[in-house]
Amino acid sequence: MADSLGKRPRPLPRPTPETRHFWDGTKAGELRLQRCNDCGHVYLPPRPLCPACSSRNVDVFTASGKGKLLSYVINHRPHPSFDGPYAIAVVELDEGPTMLSNIVDCDQTPDALVLDMPLEVTFEDNGDIAIPLFRPRESQS
Amino acid sequence: MTVAIVGAAETTELGKIPGMSQIQLHADAALNTLADAGLKAKDIDGVATAGESPVNVAHYLGIAPRWVDGSSVGGCSFMLHVRHAAAAIEAGYADTVLVTHGESGRSGVGRGGGGGGGGSLLAQFEGPYGSMGPTTMFTIGVLRYMKQYGMTHEQLAMVAVVQREWAGMNPRASYRDPITVDDVLNSRMIAYPFHLLECCLVTDGGGALILTSAERAADFPNKPVYILGSGESVETPMVSQMKDLTSSQAFRIAGGEAMRSARINHGDVDHMMVYDAFAHLPIWGLEDLGFCARGEAPGFIEDGNTRPGGALPLNTNGGGLSYMHSGMYGMYALQESVRQMRGTAPAQVPGAAVSLCLGVGGMFAASGCIVMGNELP
């Protein structure tokens, strides 16, 4: 992603107590989700309660890091952290939750960015914070 | 009708709580209160809060409300919420209302922070990825819709073409010259698949409304326009967390509630406004409110049903795409519904007696819907 980044770093998150496990995970090279021990619901973004059944009995687990391209736009307006047109994508993880991200190691064009293409997570080091991004993967893996 | 408080609790801890973000404090107080009442979040159908957006609270807790109050007037906001909630319950707008407060006033954990960098969930989980606000976020589900239902780029462009026809009949519209599908598709790319002419204007303006009882309405100089029904809801502060990128839960709940409370069917609606920040909004609105089956609104518009002379005149001022869009366009949609019901619109729909006006807040974060009529129900 470094070559597609402009001069200024991307806006970085400021972790909060209930999201700390997620950002500790990205720093350790893991994509961490939460699962409800009562109803089994898997969710993101992090919360200390299950949004499906209100239970506080939830655990953190490491996800597969695999997903697919659910939808996207290709932004053509200038952004201080990005060069040229770039895609902002919604990724659907194999475990169910969706998340916003960028797609790297891939041309930022409609021809290259095909809906439902298999993706895998990769992490961009920004010092204290690692940002989860996604890149195309072979569908068999 | 008498309304009662049936659950009450504070956060588990009070004092110095550096281990919890502000939204967590809302949730902790809410879960304790739900437990006090023997309820789960899914039993709640009304949400009121101040200091945090009710969108954040509802999404965090997993509530799909049909009544929302974000009245924020300082420390007494919660007294107002209780009062509004009592009125809402009496009116049948909600059965079970949750009022929450949480404030990391000492520790300042997870307070505020919008798009770029910060401690809110939006800042943490959408801020880093180069969002340019509405042009990139409102529009992000449209490619999925195209794949799912086969909508073409030409059909999306047609929304802007039809609304320009309406704008041409409105002397106050910002853009009135006719445009073609090719004009739209050849306009500058903003955020693929959206071209400039598929995005709303950015203009200055304002509007206001005055309401009173129907009994007094006859004493005023202009023809009264009656509120026949209304609805509201919120879904999520993050577009990436919509349950379905091709449909707005807030539209479905607010629109359904408005039509139910107005006791109308789709065939009763003579005129419709759908807040069109971008060209796909009327498509989502027509489908989410059941005027078209899923996937059929692009063809419905392409076939001319929403244009002048069509079966369901829509966005008859030209909409946010051609009339004006100051940022919070909902007021202008309401103004056009009022003009149509008074019979004074520049592009007046002959004989229109019922108007449905659907608004959006944020990027599918919230919705409000008003049904108006030109006769007492």
Side-chain angles (χ1 to χ4, degrees), chain B residues 109-135:
Chain B
V109 182
R111 299 186 77 170
S120 73
L121 291 180
L122 178 69
Q124 292 187 59
F125 290 91
E126 290 196 345
Y129 298 110
S131 160
M132 298 291 288
T135 56

PDB file of all heavy atoms in Angstrom, chain B residues 109-135:
ATOM      1  N   VAL B 109     -12.935   9.254  27.494  1.00  0.00           N
ATOM      2  CA  VAL B 109     -12.635   8.095  26.648  1.00  0.00           C
ATOM      3  C   VAL B 109     -13.702   7.936  25.570  1.00  0.00           C
ATOM      4  O   VAL B 109     -14.882   7.783  25.878  1.00  0.00           O
ATOM      5  CB  VAL B 109     -12.561   6.803  27.493  1.00  0.00           C
ATOM      6  CG1 VAL B 109     -12.203   5.612  26.600  1.00  0.00           C
ATOM      7  CG2 VAL B 109     -11.562   6.961  28.620  1.00  0.00           C
ATOM      8  N   GLY B 110     -13.260   7.977  24.328  1.00  0.00           N
ATOM      9  CA  GLY B 110     -14.178   7.705  23.220  1.00  0.00           C
ATOM     10  C   GLY B 110     -15.224   8.779  23.044  1.00  0.00           C
ATOM     11  O   GLY B 110     -16.345   8.496  22.642  1.00  0.00           O
ATOM     12  N   ARG B 111     -14.873  10.007  23.351  1.00  0.00           N
ATOM     13  CA  ARG B 111     -15.829  11.105  23.134  1.00  0.00           C
ATOM     14  C   ARG B 111     -15.631  11.676  21.749  1.00  0.00           C
ATOM     15  O   ARG B 111     -14.510  11.927  21.325  1.00  0.00           O
ATOM     16  CB  ARG B 111     -15.616  12.236  24.135  1.00  0.00           C
ATOM     17  CG  ARG B 111     -15.808  11.837  25.551  1.00  0.00           C
ATOM     18  CD  ARG B 111     -15.718  13.048  26.463  1.00  0.00           C
ATOM     19  NE  ARG B 111     -16.945  13.836  26.415  1.00  0.00           N
ATOM     20  CZ  ARG B 111     -17.189  14.842  27.263  1.00  0.00           C
ATOM     21  NH1 ARG B 111     -16.307  15.199  28.154  1.00  0.00           N
ATOM     22  NH2 ARG B 111     -18.318  15.505  27.180  1.00  0.00           N
ATOM     23  N   GLY B 112     -16.740  11.934  21.069  1.00  0.00           N
ATOM     24  CA  GLY B 112     -16.713  12.640  19.797  1.00  0.00           C
ATOM     25  C   GLY B 112     -15.798  11.986  18.776  1.00  0.00           C
ATOM     26  O   GLY B 112     -15.544  10.792  18.806  1.00  0.00           O
ATOM     27  N   GLY B 113     -15.335  12.787  17.833  1.00  0.00           N
ATOM     28  CA  GLY B 113     -14.463  12.241  16.797  1.00  0.00           C
ATOM     29  C   GLY B 113     -15.280  11.778  15.614  1.00  0.00           C
ATOM     30  O   GLY B 113     -15.954  10.778  15.680  1.00  0.00           O
ATOM     31  N   GLY B 114     -15.268  12.502  14.530  1.00  0.00           N
ATOM     32  CA  GLY B 114     -16.081  12.158  13.382  1.00  0.00           C
ATOM     33  C   GLY B 114     -15.332  11.315  12.357  1.00  0.00           C
ATOM     34  O   GLY B 114     -14.923  10.198  12.651  1.00  0.00           O
ATOM     35  N   GLY B 115     -15.117  11.852  11.162  1.00  0.00           N
ATOM     36  CA  GLY B 115     -14.595  11.073  10.060  1.00  0.00           C
ATOM     37  C   GLY B 115     -13.139  10.667  10.159  1.00  0.00           C
ATOM     38  O   GLY B 115     -12.809   9.511  10.030  1.00  0.00           O
ATOM     39  N   GLY B 116     -12.255  11.607  10.389  1.00  0.00           N
ATOM     40  CA  GLY B 116     -10.834  11.304  10.244  1.00  0.00           C
ATOM     41  C   GLY B 116     -10.086  11.234  11.552  1.00  0.00           C
ATOM     42  O   GLY B 116      -9.796  12.250  12.162  1.00  0.00           O
ATOM     43  N   GLY B 117      -9.760  10.031  12.008  1.00  0.00           N
ATOM     44  CA  GLY B 117      -9.012   9.894  13.244  1.00  0.00           C
ATOM     45  C   GLY B 117      -9.905  10.189  14.426  1.00  0.00           C
ATOM     46  O   GLY B 117     -10.777  11.037  14.364  1.00  0.00           O
ATOM     47  N   GLY B 118      -9.694   9.477  15.520  1.00  0.00           N
ATOM     48  CA  GLY B 118     -10.489   9.728  16.701  1.00  0.00           C
ATOM     49  C   GLY B 118     -10.979   8.450  17.326  1.00  0.00           C
ATOM     50  O   GLY B 118     -10.660   7.350  16.868  1.00  0.00           O
ATOM     51  N   GLY B 119     -11.768   8.595  18.408  1.00  0.00           N
ATOM     52  CA  GLY B 119     -12.130   7.449  19.215  1.00  0.00           C
ATOM     53  C   GLY B 119     -13.505   6.887  18.961  1.00  0.00           C
ATOM     54  O   GLY B 119     -13.829   5.819  19.466  1.00  0.00           O
ATOM     55  N   SER B 120     -14.361   7.582  18.182  1.00  0.00           N
ATOM     56  CA  SER B 120     -15.671   6.993  17.906  1.00  0.00           C
ATOM     57  C   SER B 120     -15.492   5.767  17.019  1.00  0.00           C
ATOM     58  O   SER B 120     -14.474   5.614  16.339  1.00  0.00           O
ATOM     59  CB  SER B 120     -16.580   8.009  17.215  1.00  0.00           C
ATOM     60  OG  SER B 120     -16.172   8.205  15.878  1.00  0.00           O
ATOM     61  N   LEU B 121     -16.484   4.889  17.021  1.00  0.00           N
ATOM     62  CA  LEU B 121     -16.371   3.692  16.182  1.00  0.00           C
ATOM     63  C   LEU B 121     -16.257   4.083  14.709  1.00  0.00           C
ATOM     64  O   LEU B 121     -15.521   3.459  13.943  1.00  0.00           O
ATOM     65  CB  LEU B 121     -17.567   2.769  16.398  1.00  0.00           C
ATOM     66  CG  LEU B 121     -17.635   2.091  17.774  1.00  0.00           C
ATOM     67  CD1 LEU B 121     -18.870   1.209  17.874  1.00  0.00           C
ATOM     68  CD2 LEU B 121     -16.377   1.269  18.046  1.00  0.00           C
ATOM     69  N   LEU B 122     -16.984   5.135  14.321  1.00  0.00           N
ATOM     70  CA  LEU B 122     -16.905   5.605  12.935  1.00  0.00           C
ATOM     71  C   LEU B 122     -15.479   6.030  12.600  1.00  0.00           C
ATOM     72  O   LEU B 122     -14.932   5.677  11.552  1.00  0.00           O
ATOM     73  CB  LEU B 122     -17.868   6.777  12.745  1.00  0.00           C
ATOM     74  CG  LEU B 122     -17.884   7.435  11.370  1.00  0.00           C
ATOM     75  CD1 LEU B 122     -18.489   6.499  10.342  1.00  0.00           C
ATOM     76  CD2 LEU B 122     -18.678   8.738  11.409  1.00  0.00           C
ATOM     77  N   ALA B 123     -14.855   6.777  13.495  1.00  0.00           N
ATOM     78  CA  ALA B 123     -13.492   7.241  13.244  1.00  0.00           C
ATOM     79  C   ALA B 123     -12.502   6.083  13.221  1.00  0.00           C
ATOM     80  O   ALA B 123     -11.553   6.069  12.444  1.00  0.00           O
ATOM     81  CB  ALA B 123     -13.093   8.258  14.309  1.00  0.00           C
ATOM     82  N   GLN B 124     -12.748   5.089  14.071  1.00  0.00           N
ATOM     83  CA  GLN B 124     -11.818   3.956  14.136  1.00  0.00           C
ATOM     84  C   GLN B 124     -11.977   3.001  12.958  1.00  0.00           C
ATOM     85  O   GLN B 124     -10.987   2.492  12.439  1.00  0.00           O
ATOM     86  CB  GLN B 124     -12.030   3.170  15.440  1.00  0.00           C
ATOM     87  CG  GLN B 124     -11.626   3.901  16.706  1.00  0.00           C
ATOM     88  CD  GLN B 124     -11.710   2.990  17.921  1.00  0.00           C
ATOM     89  OE1 GLN B 124     -11.049   1.954  17.986  1.00  0.00           O
ATOM     90  NE2 GLN B 124     -12.544   3.368  18.878  1.00  0.00           N
ATOM     91  N   PHE B 125     -13.221   2.756  12.559  1.00  0.00           N
ATOM     92  CA  PHE B 125     -13.451   1.657  11.621  1.00  0.00           C
ATOM     93  C   PHE B 125     -13.827   2.094  10.206  1.00  0.00           C
ATOM     94  O   PHE B 125     -13.891   1.272   9.313  1.00  0.00           O
ATOM     95  CB  PHE B 125     -14.480   0.681  12.205  1.00  0.00           C
ATOM     96  CG  PHE B 125     -13.914  -0.080  13.378  1.00  0.00           C
ATOM     97  CD1 PHE B 125     -14.061   0.398  14.669  1.00  0.00           C
ATOM     98  CD2 PHE B 125     -13.156  -1.221  13.180  1.00  0.00           C
ATOM     99  CE1 PHE B 125     -13.491  -0.276  15.745  1.00  0.00           C
ATOM    100  CE2 PHE B 125     -12.586  -1.905  14.228  1.00  0.00           C
ATOM    101  CZ  PHE B 125     -12.750  -1.427  15.526  1.00  0.00           C
ATOM    102  N   GLU B 126     -14.072   3.390  10.003  1.00  0.00           N
ATOM    103  CA  GLU B 126     -14.265   3.867   8.629  1.00  0.00           C
ATOM    104  C   GLU B 126     -13.322   5.002   8.288  1.00  0.00           C
ATOM    105  O   GLU B 126     -12.981   5.205   7.127  1.00  0.00           O
ATOM    106  CB  GLU B 126     -15.742   4.276   8.398  1.00  0.00           C
ATOM    107  CG  GLU B 126     -16.680   3.077   8.382  1.00  0.00           C
ATOM    108  CD  GLU B 126     -18.061   3.372   7.790  1.00  0.00           C
ATOM    109  OE1 GLU B 126     -18.422   4.544   7.640  1.00  0.00           O
ATOM    110  OE2 GLU B 126     -18.763   2.383   7.470  1.00  0.00           O
ATOM    111  N   GLY B 127     -12.889   5.742   9.295  1.00  0.00           N
ATOM    112  CA  GLY B 127     -12.043   6.917   9.058  1.00  0.00           C
ATOM    113  C   GLY B 127     -10.738   6.659   8.324  1.00  0.00           C
ATOM    114  O   GLY B 127     -10.310   7.499   7.525  1.00  0.00           O
ATOM    115  N   PRO B 128     -10.082   5.513   8.562  1.00  0.00           N
ATOM    116  CA  PRO B 128      -8.756   5.327   7.955  1.00  0.00           C
ATOM    117  C   PRO B 128      -8.744   5.072   6.441  1.00  0.00           C
ATOM    118  O   PRO B 128      -7.669   5.088   5.845  1.00  0.00           O
ATOM    119  CB  PRO B 128      -8.210   4.076   8.678  1.00  0.00           C
ATOM    120  CG  PRO B 128      -8.993   3.972   9.941  1.00  0.00           C
ATOM    121  CD  PRO B 128     -10.357   4.485   9.579  1.00  0.00           C
ATOM    122  N   TYR B 129      -9.890   4.838   5.824  1.00  0.00           N
ATOM    123  CA  TYR B 129      -9.862   4.265   4.479  1.00  0.00           C
ATOM    124  C   TYR B 129     -10.100   5.250   3.341  1.00  0.00           C
ATOM    125  O   TYR B 129     -10.446   4.865   2.234  1.00  0.00           O
ATOM    126  CB  TYR B 129     -10.851   3.099   4.418  1.00  0.00           C
ATOM    127  CG  TYR B 129     -10.460   1.999   5.378  1.00  0.00           C
ATOM    128  CD1 TYR B 129     -11.194   1.733   6.522  1.00  0.00           C
ATOM    129  CD2 TYR B 129      -9.294   1.252   5.157  1.00  0.00           C
ATOM    130  CE1 TYR B 129     -10.809   0.746   7.417  1.00  0.00           C
ATOM    131  CE2 TYR B 129      -8.894   0.260   6.042  1.00  0.00           C
ATOM    132  CZ  TYR B 129      -9.658   0.013   7.174  1.00  0.00           C
ATOM    133  OH  TYR B 129      -9.253  -0.962   8.040  1.00  0.00           O
ATOM    134  N   GLY B 130      -9.902   6.547   3.628  1.00  0.00           N
ATOM    135  CA  GLY B 130      -9.982   7.511   2.538  1.00  0.00           C
ATOM    136  C   GLY B 130     -11.387   7.946   2.192  1.00  0.00           C
ATOM    137  O   GLY B 130     -11.637   8.387   1.071  1.00  0.00           O
ATOM    138  N   SER B 131     -12.295   7.849   3.158  1.00  0.00           N
ATOM    139  CA  SER B 131     -13.656   8.328   2.922  1.00  0.00           C
ATOM    140  C   SER B 131     -13.645   9.816   2.637  1.00  0.00           C
ATOM    141  O   SER B 131     -12.924  10.575   3.270  1.00  0.00           O
ATOM    142  CB  SER B 131     -14.520   8.055   4.159  1.00  0.00           C
ATOM    143  OG  SER B 131     -15.671   8.888   4.135  1.00  0.00           O
ATOM    144  N   MET B 132     -14.445  10.216   1.641  1.00  0.00           N
ATOM    145  CA  MET B 132     -14.606  11.637   1.335  1.00  0.00           C
ATOM    146  C   MET B 132     -16.002  12.084   1.760  1.00  0.00           C
ATOM    147  O   MET B 132     -16.557  13.018   1.189  1.00  0.00           O
ATOM    148  CB  MET B 132     -14.402  11.878  -0.159  1.00  0.00           C
ATOM    149  CG  MET B 132     -13.016  11.521  -0.663  1.00  0.00           C
ATOM    150  SD  MET B 132     -11.751  12.639  -0.060  1.00  0.00           S
ATOM    151  CE  MET B 132     -12.156  14.108  -1.023  1.00  0.00           C
ATOM    152  N   GLY B 133     -16.578  11.410   2.728  1.00  0.00           N
ATOM    153  CA  GLY B 133     -17.927  11.752   3.160  1.00  0.00           C
ATOM    154  C   GLY B 133     -18.968  11.168   2.224  1.00  0.00           C
ATOM    155  O   GLY B 133     -18.770  10.083   1.656  1.00  0.00           O
ATOM    156  N   PRO B 134     -20.095  11.882   2.050  1.00  0.00           N
ATOM    157  CA  PRO B 134     -21.231  11.295   1.331  1.00  0.00           C
ATOM    158  C   PRO B 134     -20.904  10.779  -0.072  1.00  0.00           C
ATOM    159  O   PRO B 134     -21.429   9.738  -0.468  1.00  0.00           O
ATOM    160  CB  PRO B 134     -22.224  12.457   1.254  1.00  0.00           C
ATOM    161  CG  PRO B 134     -21.910  13.278   2.461  1.00  0.00           C
ATOM    162  CD  PRO B 134     -20.411  13.188   2.631  1.00  0.00           C
ATOM    163  N   THR B 135     -20.057  11.447  -0.847  1.00  0.00           N
ATOM    164  CA  THR B 135     -19.837  10.989  -2.223  1.00  0.00           C
ATOM    165  C   THR B 135     -19.260   9.576  -2.267  1.00  0.00           C
ATOM    166  O   THR B 135     -19.530   8.825  -3.207  1.00  0.00           O
ATOM    167  CB  THR B 135     -18.885  11.922  -3.009  1.00  0.00           C
ATOM    168  OG1 THR B 135     -17.649  12.031  -2.296  1.00  0.00           O
ATOM    169  CG2 THR B 135     -19.500  13.297  -3.194  1.00  0.00           C
TER     170      THR B 135
END
